[in-house]
Amino acid sequence: MKNKIRPLVAALALTPLLATAALPQYAPVTDIRLANPEPQNWLSYRGNYASWGYSSLKQINTQNVAKLKLAWAYSTGMTEGHQSPPIVNNGYMYITTPNNQVIAFEAATGKELWRYKKTIPEELQQLHPTNRGVALYGNKLYLATTDATLVALDAVTGKELWKTAVADWKKGYYMTLAPLAAKGKIMVGSSGGEYGIRGFVAAFDAETGKEAWRTHTVAGPGEPGGDTWPADTYKRGGGSVWITGSYDPDTNLAYWGVGNAGPWMPDTRAGDNLYANSTIALDVDTGKLKGYHQYHWNDGWDWDEVSAPLLIDVERNGKKIKSLVHAGRNGYLWLLERTNSKINFVDAWPYVTQNVFKSIDPKTGRPTYDPARTPGTGKTVNFCPSLWGGKDWPPEAYNPGTGLLYIPANNNLCSELTGEPAKYNAGELYIGVSIDNILTNVRMDDKARKHVGEVQAWDIKTGKKVWTHTYPEMNWGPLLTTGGNLVFGGGTNDRKFRAFDATNGKLLWEFPTNSGVTGVPSTFEIDGEQFVAVQSGWGVDAQRMQGAFDAVLPHKTVVPQGGVLMVFKLEQ
Amino acid sequence: MKTDSSCCNCSKPKDPGRRSALKICTGALLGLAAASAHRTHAGEISDARPEIGDFLVRTDAEGGTQPLTISDLAVGDKPILAFPLEPASGAIKSGSRLNKVIVFRVQPEEIDEDMRRNSVEGIVAYSAVCTHQGCDITNYVPKDNALICFCHFSQFKPTHGGEVIGGPAPRRLPVLPLKAENGRLVVAGKFSSKPGATAG
């Protein structure tokens, strides 16, 4: 007996040392690596600067994905929306969770390396208690917090290196996005469109945290576009930026999506309201605006166009286009051309039921609206898609192998809103629709009661939809696609995380997780073994939409909350 | 210590940008006694939690205002958002949003026995800050007898001590006990529990 125990004790004693020794020295994250990320790593929010959500790894593929098993899991200790991708750099993994927490792991084993939690002010209200991930740069990592602070940590030890106050949380500014790192700068934007903020993108020196530039997304007097806001409405005009931008290293331009104009009722701010509901191109060195495309003017539907466009080289009608592709919250799929000086409209078409746009100008892409579908103060209108749009923030994915774009969509869903006057009080909700109305805004016809959530696959070259997978209710699942010809995503209220054949949409694998999956999935490889990782943790807008469904459907659905990081690999 | 009971700026909150609308001339309006020699600085008072004897005033008051009275609230009216007011100094305790309360009136017979002791003729007051993530609670839905938080749909039952009846909130909404003096609503006790989000 004694002899049997001794080797076991020795092995246990050695385990931590072996685990630590298994981690190589931290590999600094450089511009070159971010521009050409190694397949075995997942270095940024969407895996590359083009925002593809793609990895060329193919050990896990259509032939064997059915054998995917849980390798390790970790409870984050938090409820609410767990949305950040597990970001991996040579064996080190980082996730963020609600309440401004960063947890570092040994990616292969799940061993916790350190945990950081930003203390937030007692009085802070968190409309969106979530976080969408860290940025890695050099030997540091960067976190944007709900009290509007940018924090730099030592990526190896988790030690706090500096904190910079980005904006005033007391006035409703808060941050939930993963920062964008490029050329020595860390770029962020701010949420707060429902609190009457004035949106911006700002860049900070990666070493010191000193502000380098700040460009407002809502044009002020004397600025180009400033005449699209009456009187002083620009001061509270929204235009929040809460999803990480894309970046083109060739032109040094970052492409950011800009949220809706505020307050919601368009008659309170007559004009186009530039640059709300747009994609803007910013020079990373100076912050200078180098181009924009406004998807729809004078928004009245809460259609944030905040998802950054994907940078894809597309051949269209025999011509090669360096494109920007965006599945709009307004229900249209947009194809634009990017140059070093401007953004050109190419094409757009509806990918979900849309009854607001009457036409699209073929040259400029500017839509005309059906007035009966355009909200206003004292007016009740019904419109489709719903205020959460054809696609909210959950990102699309692009697979260069299939040439297809994958969209996590919500189809057939409509809203009914009644506009009312909004009064601005700093730090308080500034919307212009009653809370009761927002809670019960959803309208569902027979089609919607049949299905809402979809995963769609589109051939951008031809403009044709190749396959659709439908869900009975909503889809809030960010997508990942791989060289194994797979598409991964969750997003449904049945708690499942799934894998589809990227070519034909066939469901190949699914796993019932602890909660609903609204996390961004990622994949990585360590010592020749591929892993797929995702956080499960239902909350924020997915939960809000569930509440609105519960208000109109004969049944109520309870999705349990509580975050768990899940890491899968093939069964040996 | 300044004891100017007729001063219109003596209750200026610490953050003038946020609460500049809440300047009052309460001392003059009410003819209240001057602050005692040991009175805390008005700025500190504005951060202090409600105490027994405080009045309530609307948060959206412009210029001078008066404490809420029983007749200001009728069954079926929209709730009023209010801050406590210290009668002695005339200071409105608006320095912390954790002092914000939601006040409204229901049929007295709907209120359970425990809560009835903390209410006045069907008028109840609760912390207006959700115990989940600290968002403002501004809505009462009579048909569901529920106070509802917009942020994450937490629901509380105001006739039954603010118990949680839906959503993610982990604990009751704190009650601010009320009594009446000369028709005015007066704070009758401290918050029943700490107002604000529960640490996550």
Side-chain angles (χ1 to χ4, degrees):
Chain A
M1 187 69 186
K2 213 174 180 180
N3 286 346
K4 279 182 185 170
I5 289 173
R6 198 172 289 150
L8 179 64
V9 170
L12 287 172
L14 277 175
T15 303
L17 288 173
L18 286 172
T20 306
L23 270 176
Q25 192 174 2
Y26 189 80
V29 176
T30 61
D31 288 285
I32 291 170
R33 291 186 65 206
L34 285 168
N36 300 284
E38 313 87 11
Q40 70 267 27
N41 290 318
W42 192 273
L43 295 179
S44 60
Y45 177 63
R46 293 303 285 146
N48 68 8
Y49 275 144
S51 296
W52 286 1
Y54 169 76
S55 166
S56 62
L57 293 181
K58 56 186 178 187
Q59 185 182 77
I60 300 168
N61 56 50
T62 52
Q63 300 303 310
N64 59 22
V65 69
K67 292 181 180 169
L68 210 55
K69 300 286 183 209
L70 198 60
W72 59 268
Y74 181 97
S75 286
T76 69
M78 295 293 152
T79 55
E80 276 299 340
H82 285 62
Q83 301 180 344
S84 82
I87 287 179
V88 177
N89 179 24
N90 282 12
Y92 296 78
M93 175 193 282
Y94 306 95
I95 61 164
T96 61
T97 75
N99 294 313
N100 307 297
Q101 183 177 231
V102 185
I103 312 171
F105 301 96
E106 187 177 86
T109 65
K111 183 192 172 194
E112 181 183 318
L113 299 174
W114 53 260
R115 182 192 284 243
Y116 170 87
K117 192 174 170 198
K118 167 84 169 57
T119 304
I120 55 174
E122 187 185 40
E123 293 191 31
L124 181 71
Q125 49 184 321
Q126 297 192 90
L127 178 58
H128 292 92
T130 188
N131 190 280
R132 300 192 179 86
V134 300
L136 301 181
Y137 198 68
N139 290 316
K140 298 183 180 66
L141 71 77
Y142 302 88
L143 170 72
T145 68
T146 48
D147 60 349
T149 303
L150 179 62
V151 182
L153 305 180
D154 182 300
V156 176
T157 65
K159 187 186 165 198
E160 189 178 282
L161 301 173
W162 52 256
K163 281 185 291 195
T164 297
V166 174
D168 185 355
W169 61 265
K170 287 185 176 176
K171 290 181 176 161
Y173 290 85
Y174 60 102
M175 301 197 295
T176 56
L177 77 177
L180 173 63
K183 291 194 75 181
K185 293 188 172 60
I186 306 300
M187 289 162 274
V188 293
S190 178
S191 304
E194 275 71 48
Y195 289 101
I197 65 150
R198 183 184 178 203
F200 62 84
V201 177
F204 299 84
D205 184 279
E207 273 307 306
T208 65
K210 192 180 168 205
E211 185 168 328
W213 51 258
R214 182 175 301 235
T215 302
H216 281 104
T217 55
V218 173
E223 295 171 352
D227 57 352
T228 64
W229 294 88
D232 64 352
T233 52
Y234 73 97
K235 291 179 180 172
R236 307 174 290 278
S240 51
V241 175
W242 45 277
I243 292 293
T244 314
S246 305
Y247 175 59
D248 184 344
D250 292 342
T251 55
N252 197 32
L253 295 179
Y255 294 89
W256 295 87
V258 182
N260 61 299
W264 286 6
M265 289 309 111
D267 51 280
T268 62
R269 43 178 167 74
D272 280 7
N273 308 140
L274 291 171
Y275 298 91
N277 313 94
S278 304
T279 280
I280 55 173
L282 300 182
D283 183 294
V284 166
D285 290 339
T286 63
K288 194 173 174 211
L289 183 74
K290 289 291 189 77
Y292 74 95
H293 177 81
Q294 188 174 46
Y295 298 104
H296 59 274
W297 47 276
N298 194 225
D299 175 87
W301 305 271
D302 187 31
W303 288 337
D304 289 67
E305 297 300 353
V306 78
S307 288
L310 286 73
L311 313 189
I312 303 172
D313 290 343
V314 181
E315 194 176 308
R316 183 109 173 147
N317 302 325
K319 188 187 161 197
K320 282 192 176 168
I321 301 172
K322 283 185 157 318
S323 83
L324 302 170
V325 177
H326 171 66
R329 192 149 150 180
N330 62 24
Y332 272 57
L333 180 51
W334 298 85
L335 182 64
L336 310 172
E337 181 185 29
R338 68 185 199 274
T339 72
N340 59 6
S341 60
K342 61 178 184 168
I343 297 173
N344 299 314
F345 173 74
V346 178
D347 201 356
W349 60 90
Y351 66 96
V352 293
T353 299
Q354 215 271 19
N355 64 11
V356 173
F357 293 179
K358 291 180 81 174
S359 65
I360 296 274
D361 185 295
K363 282 193 178 146
T364 65
R366 182 182 175 87
T368 57
Y369 304 151
D370 180 347
R373 306 285 184 192
T374 304
T377 307
K379 184 178 166 191
T380 298
V381 300
N382 182 303
F383 59 87
C384 324
S386 79
L387 60 85
W388 289 288
K391 184 195 80 68
D392 203 282
W393 74 271
E396 314 95 312
Y398 171 70
N399 189 321
T402 61
L404 301 180
L405 174 82
Y406 304 97
I407 304 174
N410 284 306
N411 202 353
N412 302 325
L413 198 60
C414 307
S415 284
E416 188 169 289
L417 294 181
T418 302
E420 59 178 32
K423 189 181 169 203
Y424 177 76
N425 289 310
E428 295 181 7
L429 288 173
Y430 182 57
I431 298 178
V433 176
S434 77
I435 305 302
D436 294 350
N437 186 176
I438 295 171
L439 297 181
T440 58
N441 78 84
V442 158
R443 296 292 178 270
M444 298 175 94
D445 62 8
D446 288 345
K447 275 169 88 178
R449 284 166 196 270
K450 203 171 168 192
H451 92 264
V452 172
E454 297 182 350
V455 180
Q456 301 180 357
W458 286 86
D459 185 338
I460 299 298
K461 194 173 166 183
T462 61
K464 295 256 173 16
K465 189 157 71 168
V466 177
W467 57 260
T468 306
H469 183 91
T470 64
Y471 299 123
E473 294 187 12
M474 69 286 285
N475 180 9
W476 282 86
L479 297 176
L480 159 74
T481 185
T482 69
N485 202 38
L486 294 168
V487 175
F488 289 90
T492 50
N493 59 9
D494 60 5
R495 314 192 329 262
K496 288 184 178 172
F497 184 52
R498 299 177 169 86
F500 302 95
D501 185 312
T503 304
N504 58 31
K506 190 179 170 195
L507 178 65
L508 299 176
W509 171 83
E510 59 184 4
F511 183 89
T513 70
N514 57 298
S515 179
V517 178
T518 60
V520 177
S522 68
T523 187
F524 57 95
E525 184 183 274
I526 293 173
D527 295 333
E529 191 164 39
Q530 185 184 355
F531 297 81
V532 172
V534 74
Q535 291 199 78
S536 176
W538 193 252
V540 284
D541 286 303
Q543 178 59 38
R544 260 182 219 121
M545 186 188 268
Q546 184 68 65
F549 275 37
D550 289 349
V552 297
L553 289 174
H555 59 272
K556 293 193 190 321
T557 304
V558 176
V559 183
Q561 290 206 3
V564 173
L565 166 62
M566 297 189 161
V567 181
F568 299 91
K569 65 175 184 177
L570 290 173
E571 195 174 32
Q572 293 297 317
Chain B
M1 181 62 69
K2 191 173 182 180
T3 56
D4 180 359
S5 64
S6 65
C7 151
C8 280
N9 293 321
C10 56
S11 61
K12 252 188 196 171
K14 272 167 78 174
D15 180 349
R18 187 168 177 208
R19 298 290 169 216
S20 58
L22 294 179
K23 299 172 190 172
I24 62 160
C25 306
T26 318
L29 280 168
L30 303 174
L32 295 169
S36 78
H38 301 294
R39 182 58 59 207
T40 324
H41 185 271
E44 292 169 28
I45 294 170
S46 77
D47 284 344
R49 294 286 171 262
E51 293 288 345
I52 294 172
D54 284 356
F55 299 139
L56 296 175
V57 292
R58 291 172 184 268
T59 57
D60 60 357
E62 304 257 2
T65 189
Q66 300 218 16
L68 290 176
T69 64
I70 294 171
S71 59
D72 288 332
L73 296 117
V75 175
D77 283 357
K78 279 192 170 180
I80 291 173
L81 293 168
F83 281 120
L85 176 151
E86 190 194 59
S89 64
I92 297 179
K93 294 178 175 175
S94 59
S96 166
R97 60 178 288 273
L98 299 182
N99 286 345
K100 198 183 286 184
V101 291
I102 181 166
V103 192
F104 58 105
R105 193 169 192 168
V106 298
Q107 298 292 354
E109 57 271 21
E110 292 176 8
I111 301 176
D112 74 5
E113 205 175 314
D114 285 348
M115 189 59 198
R116 203 169 296 161
R117 283 194 287 274
N118 295 320
S119 65
V120 174
E121 297 179 27
I123 297 172
V124 295
Y126 284 91
S127 164
V129 179
C130 184
T131 55
H132 176 225
Q133 293 287 353
C135 295
D136 284 346
I137 294 181
T138 57
N139 269 57
Y140 173 62
V141 179
K143 75 176 172 58
D144 301 326
N145 185 25
L147 285 162
I148 297 185
C149 176
F150 167 69
C151 283
H152 312 102
F153 294 3
S154 289
Q155 296 179 33
F156 307 90
K157 198 171 184 179
T159 54
H160 291 67
E163 71 179 62
V164 179
I165 52 172
R171 62 185 177 92
R172 287 168 183 265
L173 206 55
V175 177
L176 187 66
L178 296 179
K179 58 184 178 181
E181 285 176 5
N182 303 321
R184 282 192 208 113
L185 295 174
V186 176
V187 174
K190 296 185 175 188
F191 277 126
S192 60
S193 60
K194 192 180 175 195
T198 304

